[in-house]
Every structure is written in structure tokens, then in C-alpha cells.
Amino acid sequence: MTESIVVVGAALLDEGRLLAARRSAPADLAGRWELPGGKVEPGEAPEAALVRELREELGVEAEPLERVPGQWPLRSPYVLRVWLTRLLPGSPVPEPLEDHDELRWLTHADLWDVDWLPQDVPAVRAVEEHLRAPMK
């Protein structure tokens, strides 16, 4: 049995909004929306991978706060794990630097107005309640 490789996703929350990123590559994912993040490198802690990926993909400094319960299968052998995350004070405004061509802050009211990647939908549902309640 192959061991799963963890892909970390950031439920990046700010003032009751969730950051969604639109994929620009690869072609089969382009134009669909996801939670930003990426693969955990061998020997890297998932939280450290999340910080690194957000720096590389969005140019921001962020802090993982707590892991969202559950994990969601991607294409084998990958699984998605998501952390509630916040921007650190003084961090620049997120920009789509790598693998994305657009970012959008979504409120609870417009959370489903974007075409989420199917594998991100259960993770977004798990995060949805946090858009209604203030973050700790």
C-alpha cells in the first residue's frame, strides 16, 4: 500500500472572508478555484509547508492556526489537509504569483459563486462555518 503524500491547503481568513485562488495550470485544472497551498516536501512539517507555499504562491506571510478536521483524497497518492490560517500583521496584500491567475476574497454569501475544484468542495464546506463566526 502506497503511503499518502500530504497536500496542505490554507483556509486563509480575513475579516469574515475566505481567499480563493483560480488555477492557471495545469490545463485540466485551469479556470477552477481552490484553497491555496501545495505539497509537503520530505522531512517538512505540514505547517511549515503551508507557510512556504503561501510565501511562494501569494507573496504573503501567514500563520496556520488550527487544522480543519478531516482529510480529502486528491489523485493518488495525494490527500488534502486544510488549516485555518491568518495573514500576519504587516504582510503584503496577496497576489497570484505562481500557478494562479486570480485571487478573490469570498464572504459567506458568495462562497459558492466560484467554480471550486471538486476535491476542494468538501474542504470548503468544512471551513464554511468559520466564515460566520469570528476567528479565535
Side-chain angles (χ1 to χ4, degrees), residues 7 14 19 21 36 60 66 75 86 90 93 103 106-107 109 113 118 123 129 131:
V7 173
D14 184 54
L19 187 69
V60 298
E66 66 181 84
R75 65 181 163 78
R86 71 176 181 101
V93 173
L103 302 176
L106 302 171
T107 66
D113 290 354
E129 70 184 73
L131 290 176

Side-chain angles (χ1 to χ4, degrees), residues 98-119:
E98 190 178 285
D99 298 328
H100 302 103
D101 62 3
E102 185 180 339
L103 302 176
R104 193 177 294 174
W105 287 103
L106 302 171
T107 66
H108 185 265
D110 56 17
L111 186 61
W112 301 105
D113 290 354
V114 299
D115 187 14
W116 290 102
L117 286 168
Q119 58 266 35

Side-chain angles (χ1 to χ4, degrees), residues 33-110:
W33 295 80
E34 69 177 357
L35 299 173
K39 293 181 197 86
V40 176
E41 299 295 333
E44 185 177 38
E47 293 88 345
L50 192 61
V51 169
R52 175 184 53 76
E53 287 285 348
L54 292 176
R55 190 177 296 134
E56 291 171 2
E57 290 186 2
L58 307 176
V60 298
E61 295 301 323
E63 175 186 27
L65 299 173
E66 66 181 84
R67 184 162 160 224
V68 175
Q71 67 179 18
W72 300 275
L74 304 173
R75 65 181 163 78
S76 185
Y78 300 100
V79 295
L80 175 65
R81 294 182 186 161
V82 174
W83 274 258
L84 297 178
T85 309
R86 71 176 181 101
L87 292 173
L88 289 175
S91 180
V93 173
E95 293 181 59
L97 301 177
E98 190 178 285
D99 298 328
H100 302 103
D101 62 3
E102 185 180 339
L103 302 176
R104 193 177 294 174
W105 287 103
L106 302 171
T107 66
H108 185 265
D110 56 17

